Amino acid sequence: MLGDYHAAATCLRRSCLLADNNAAAQLELAFICERQHQLDEAMELTSRVLRTEPRSASATLLKGRLLRRAGEIDEAEGVFRRVAFEMQVPAKIVA
């Protein structure tokens, strides 16, 4: 069913348990957690992805969004600046 975030999150959690080094599954789960307002879990997953893939623009932008939502405006701005000036970001990716 389209938009069934709960079912998607359940499948991705299982995937992450089976292969805890699967950064793609962790990042997708982090996006779903963000949509479901589970910001602490989203940040933990995003941090885990960034430890293994520090140049991931998608994960870095998500971290900036999560920081902004948490009220950490200065830190979020620093993250966004890092993406803008240090990373090659496809034009279709937006924070």
Side-chain angles (χ1 to χ4, degrees), residues 3-63:
D4 188 351
Y5 293 124
H6 179 72
T10 298
C11 290
L12 286 165
R13 281 191 180 91
R14 285 187 194 137
S15 176
C16 291
L17 286 173
L18 292 172
D20 65 351
N21 61 344
N22 186 338
Q26 291 172 355
L27 187 57
E28 287 303 317
L29 181 55
F31 284 127
I32 289 172
C33 289
E34 179 194 23
R35 288 182 193 108
Q36 294 183 314
H37 306 284
Q38 298 168 343
L39 303 183
D40 290 339
E41 184 176 1
M43 183 60 87
E44 172 57 35
L45 289 159
T46 302
S47 296
R48 206 178 309 165
V49 170
L50 287 169
R51 280 193 293 274
T52 59
E53 296 188 19
R55 301 218 23 95
S56 169
S58 295
T60 304
L61 286 169
L62 178 57
K63 179 180 179 178

